Amino acid sequence: MMLNCKVFRTPCGDGCFVWGKEAVYRVFLSSPGVSAELKAGREFGSVDRVGSSFAGDVSEKLAALAIGASVDVPLNILDFGSTSSFSRKVLLALMEVERGTTVSYGELAEKAGFPGAARAVGSVLASNPFPLVIPCHRVVRSDGSSGSYQGGIVMKKYLLEAEVE
């Protein structure tokens, strides 16, 4: 299957997503020193930079999410095929965390039905295939500190602040 890459802009650097056949396989965010496209190439190898109305629509929604806007992205366009059942449960539980609020790793583990699994939840979020859409920036450490984020701490803080404005 031919995979494509579409770049979108964020206030903290470019992002990109890998897609094919009207499905998004992965969203990448640039982090300090590593571009989103480089991350995509490392995971998927060679991908074409082509567009379509589907890619344009998804790109616009991701760019809006990256500035903190409230945008609905239909979950049926996200390909969860490479995630485990545990990961899907955690990621879907995270979708229930409201904009402008945060939850700790432990609270999310409990919400997903896995009390005591905070570290495992952290591992799931570190490899969240759909950052911005599945808002892992809303998860913080139990002491309230920000923890890490695929797009870097600056982007995580930006997103949290933008959601409450």
Side-chain angles (χ1 to χ4, degrees):
M1 168 178 29
M2 178 55 71
L3 295 179
N4 307 292
C5 177
K6 175 80 172 151
V7 174
F8 61 94
R9 304 269 182 241
T10 83
C12 301
D14 287 346
C16 74
F17 62 97
V18 174
W19 65 280
K21 292 194 178 190
E22 308 290 306
V24 175
Y25 292 100
R26 183 87 160 77
V27 175
F28 295 93
L29 301 173
S30 293
S31 56
V34 185
S35 74
E37 283 188 278
L38 180 61
K39 292 178 181 180
R42 286 178 179 165
E43 187 166 328
F44 287 94
S46 179
V47 291
D48 289 333
R49 273 187 94 180
V50 298
S52 72
S53 59
F54 171 80
D57 182 52
V58 172
S59 180
E60 287 177 19
K61 289 178 179 183
L62 290 171
L65 287 170
I67 60 168
S70 178
V71 177
D72 286 328
V73 176
L75 292 181
N76 67 341
I77 68 166
L78 306 178
D79 186 316
F80 284 91
S82 65
T83 60
S84 68
S85 174
F86 174 79
S87 294
R88 275 191 296 279
K89 287 177 183 174
V90 169
L91 295 172
L92 293 175
L94 180 53
M95 294 295 294
E96 297 173 14
V97 176
E98 294 183 23
R99 288 175 43 77
T101 64
T102 59
V103 63
S104 72
Y105 292 96
E107 290 167 335
L108 181 58
E110 193 165 318
K111 183 184 270 289
F114 305 104
R119 286 181 187 255
V121 163
S123 293
V124 168
L125 299 183
S127 60
N128 174 4
F130 310 110
L132 297 176
V133 179
I134 298 181
C136 52
H137 61 275
R138 296 181 190 154
V139 183
V140 297
R141 293 180 175 153
S142 59
D143 66 2
S145 62
S146 65
S148 61
Y149 185 63
Q150 293 178 42
I153 285 300
V154 170
M155 185 172 200
K156 182 172 186 167
K157 289 180 180 179
Y158 173 87
L159 290 168
L160 289 172
E161 290 172 8
E163 286 187 354
V164 294
E165 291 179 350

